[in-house]
Amino acid sequence: MNLTDYEESMLQGREGALKQKAMEVIVRYANVLEAEELCQVTKAHLHCGAHHYLKAIKSGSIDSIISQMYFCSSQTIPLESVTCDCVSDVGPMCPFDWDQMGVTMEEFERDQEFLNHYVAAGVKLYGSCVPYLLGFIPLMGEHYVTSESHVVLMVNSIWGACGNSDGIEAGFCSAICGRTPLWGNHIMSNRKGTHVFEIQSSVETVFDWDVLGFTIGRKLPLHSIPILAGNFTRPDIYKLKACYASMATRSGPEMCHIVGITPEAITLEQALGNKKPQDTITITDKDLAETLNVFQGEGDVDYIGLGCPHYSLEEIRQVATFLEGKSISSHVVLHIWTSYAFKAMADQCGYTKMIERAGGRILTSSCPTTHDRLPAGITSLAFDSSKQAQDYLFSLSSPVFFGSMTDCLNAAIRGKWEGRR
Amino acid sequence: MNRVLYGRGAIPGAAEGFALVSRESIQGWSGLDLKTGVVIEKGHPFEGRTIKDAVLILPGGKGSNGWSIQFHSAKIAGIGPAAFVFPKMDSRTGVTAAVMCVPVVTDIEEDVFAIIKTGDWVRVDGDQGTIEVWNNELES
């Protein structure tokens, strides 16, 4: 493959041991993909924190763990500094109310050590899976990396930026050497749609868009690029957040055009690159109902988690307004997950107090799935996100309910899941 | 040996083991128990089977961008797969190959999923780009 003089210099170790190790991984990754060259990464969204998968490494030194896991190096190399605009993804706990999810003081302190280590290297603590709501917005044609699957769909599709679903280790390596393989969505001509989804079902609410994303994910062949077309009402960014989150989790697309909404799909012809689609798939109400069949049942519920992906301030406001003058059942734990920037704004707006008065809590910088645990005594769960609900369907034998924000809040008040409205 | 399949060696080295084969990819994040290496994705053909020392043959990655790190963490814990076969490479599987450094063969034109069955014994040679297959008469 072709490397620039500077890239070759990094690979030879002339720019330091850390850049060398990072480049070795990136060049190996490029060779696996048969990429002919690398491109410059300017933004990175990184999975910082003492995450559960790091427990495989028994050594105590953070640099040793990072070296082995992210830079594939048995030799310990200090994490000196990142080279581009780097922000953190969710961590394994809320840094303020960590005890709410059963995290111990020892685990909290360990996580803080990790986070401080990353901050010292230049990573800014966003602690969020929705960094684009906080200013992480690569522009059209800008190359970025992210550890969050729906961020790839959002940022590629809505802003025309260039990223692949290449995950956690490659993200750290790109943050250090500032390079990623010029491959996949980093090449604009690779981003044309392959499958047209003709939406004939009624999609209005955030919940509908979540279900639509999951449904398309069920029907989408691997390695294809969907185009959404049809006479649906224009979605806003919150609806697309829900749609892209469920679609990315159920399947794995990295680009999803929406005709008339996303910039590379002003028209259907443009989205297709003036080619014929490989397939056209009609989505009806029946298809959405089939998706919902996965999430059925009624019964007691004792944990309700909202905010997957992290809630925006507007969604927090909706919860606060709904809960005003109401109180949730005494045996229900209601957590609203967001970034701490939005939590601080919610404090200012009075939303946090409104939610707490009703018995709920706003937690930040994490989510139930990234905790790898639930509060003690919790057996039945409800979420307003099929992404989160699906994750728990795999690991729990007890019921996992999925409904709209309102369904979840009604269940929190009654202490029972009585189906969807 | 019953068959040899030819592709491109993506990561060098050779390894052999029982094949775990599925046309349906698996969830890395939340689909795998990292303490045991057992696949917990409900309804998946691999559910209840361990990835330890297996040769995973999958069409690609799906779900979380954290696909690679689940397998990588399993490898470091000593419960990882012996080799991978990805007939077509994508970004999730590409990173997995690059960080795991176990033998990987890709770019295979033949329909691997029709030829190799779960339980067959396979040898993946990432230097030659070959996959040797010994059919398991018991499982097939």
Side-chain angles (χ1 to χ4, degrees), chain A residues 287-317:
Chain A
D287 297 308
L288 302 191
E290 273 172 20
T291 292
L292 288 172
N293 280 340
V294 179
F295 307 100
Q296 286 298 359
E298 292 184 5
D300 287 343
V301 59
D302 43 26
Y303 182 88
I304 294 174
L306 303 178
C308 170
H310 274 174
Y311 267 176
S312 61
L313 190 59
E314 165 58 18
E315 290 162 307
I316 296 170
R317 186 196 65 78

Side-chain angles (χ1 to χ4, degrees), chain A residues 241-263:
Chain A
K241 168 163 83 81
C243 176
Y244 285 160
S246 56
M247 193 188 298
T249 310
R250 184 60 186 78
S251 180
E254 300 168 23
M255 185 82 202
C256 171
H257 302 283
I258 306 179
V259 175
I261 305 283
T262 59

Side-chain angles (χ1 to χ4, degrees), chain B residues 63-92:
Chain B
S64 166
N65 281 14
W67 208 79
S68 57
I69 206 142
Q70 304 296 310
F71 295 101
H72 191 192
S73 177
K75 184 202 171 190
I76 288 173
I79 51 172
F84 289 103
V85 175
F86 300 124
K88 188 179 175 193
M89 203 55 87
D90 61 38
S91 44
R92 287 176 179 83

Side-chain angles (χ1 to χ4, degrees), chain A residues 80-113:
Chain A
E80 286 149 0
S81 66
V82 293
T83 55
C84 62
D85 179 1
C86 292
V87 304
S88 68
D89 198 341
V90 287
M93 65 191 68
C94 173
F96 306 105
D97 292 320
W98 43 270
D99 57 329
Q100 292 284 311
M101 289 290 286
V103 170
T104 65
M105 173 69 91
E106 193 188 357
E107 290 169 320
F108 164 68
E109 287 173 348
R110 184 65 171 158
D111 189 50
Q112 288 294 300
E113 281 176 41

Side-chain angles (χ1 to χ4, degrees), chain A residues 150-227:
Chain A
H150 97 276
V151 170
V152 177
L153 269 178
M154 286 294 281
V155 174
N156 284 358
S157 308
I158 299 179
W159 286 286
C162 303
N164 289 326
S165 288
D166 43 20
I168 295 173
E169 302 95 327
F172 278 103
C173 290
S174 293
I176 295 300
C177 69
R179 296 291 187 278
T180 196
L182 183 67
W183 190 86
N185 295 297
H186 293 286
I187 300 168
M188 294 311 269
S189 57
N190 288 344
R191 300 152 60 108
K192 300 297 178 192
T194 59
H195 289 67
V196 176
F197 284 83
E198 184 69 33
I199 313 301
Q200 292 184 0
S201 57
S202 139
V203 277
E204 298 288 338
T205 64
V206 171
F207 175 76
D208 295 340
W209 279 89
D210 183 318
V211 178
L212 177 66
F214 198 96
T215 306
I216 291 169
R218 284 199 295 118
K219 293 173 177 283
L220 187 67
L222 215 55
H223 307 142
S224 51
I225 299 177
I227 304 170

